[in-house]
Each structure stands twice: as structure tokens, then as C-alpha cells.
Amino acid sequence: VQLQAFGGGLVQPGGSLRLSCAASGRIASIDAMGWYRQAPGKQRELVATIRMGDNTDYADSVKGRFTISRDNAKNTVYLQMNSLKFEDTAVYYCNADRVRLSGSARYFIYWGQGTQVTVSS
């Protein structure tokens, strides 16, 4: 299974970006997909997650500005980021949790390669 993230870049404060992350491979189901970020010198932190049934969780710092969504048919998760701030600058990683593979009863967790988001004037 591979997770490939797209959509990072450089944006001015107050601007918007949309990240996407597609999971590929012999996937039977994915319980939760999410986004984490890691700024220089800081630990990786949760940004947002979305579970089957579209239950979502957000970090307090992004509530009201970021929206997570998923397309189950495409095994893809999106993160719409609006009203970006300097402190949103980080490498953003996508995550697929409790992934069940075809023909397997086991569950796995996978991470994408990360995409840089830089908010700068």
C-alpha cells in the first residue's frame, strides 16, 4: 500500500491550499484517514481525521479553518485549508489507519511521504 500526497506549496497568510492523498494497493477497507503535521523543531501533531461514516476530529488550532473529507471509492482524503497562518507552516503527512488488505484479516497503518506547506508573506 502506498499513500501519495499532493497539493503543498507556498501561500500568503490568509490564503488557501487543498491537500489530497490517495492510497493505492490491495485495499479492502480503510477505517480512518487523516492528516498530521510537523513543524521544524516540533513533534508531529494531529491536524484532522475522518472515519468511516464521516466522523471527523480537528485540532483546536485549525477548527473553523480546515475541512477534511474523503472519497471512499478512490481511497482518497482531502484537506481544505483556508485562512492560513504563519504557524500552519509544516510538513503535512497523510495517514491511513486500520487498513484491511484484500484477503487479510489483519489491520495496518500507513503513512504518506509528506508535503511541505509554507505560509509566508
Side-chain angles (χ1 to χ4, degrees):
V1 174
Q2 288 189 327
L3 272 64
Q4 192 162 12
F6 301 94
L10 174 65
V11 64
Q12 292 185 339
S16 298
L17 281 176
R18 188 186 193 218
L19 306 182
S20 62
C21 176
S24 60
R26 295 177 56 201
I27 298 169
S29 64
I30 303 175
D31 183 16
M33 300 188 79
W35 292 94
Y36 291 71
R37 66 186 181 187
Q38 187 167 18
K42 295 188 176 181
Q43 290 188 330
R44 189 174 297 189
E45 64 175 1
L46 171 70
V47 177
T49 61
I50 182 167
R51 295 172 179 78
M52 280 291 190
D54 290 340
N55 293 320
T56 57
D57 287 315
Y58 294 92
D60 288 343
S61 59
V62 306
K63 283 181 181 177
R65 300 188 298 121
F66 291 9
T67 302
I68 190 170
S69 61
R70 64 188 285 179
D71 183 333
N72 293 323
K74 297 180 179 180
N75 290 325
T76 298
V77 62
Y78 306 95
L79 186 68
Q80 178 66 42
M81 305 186 292
N82 298 328
S83 303
L84 283 160
K85 303 177 180 180
F86 292 118
E87 52 264 41
D88 294 318
T89 296
V91 177
Y92 284 69
Y93 297 91
C94 61
N95 164 274
D97 195 8
R98 289 185 60 80
V99 179
R100 192 168 62 83
L101 304 182
S102 299
S104 174
R106 296 178 61 189
Y107 291 92
F108 299 88
I109 184 169
Y110 296 97
W111 291 90
Q113 82 281 12
T115 184
Q116 177 70 46
V117 171
T118 302
V119 184
S120 175
S121 55

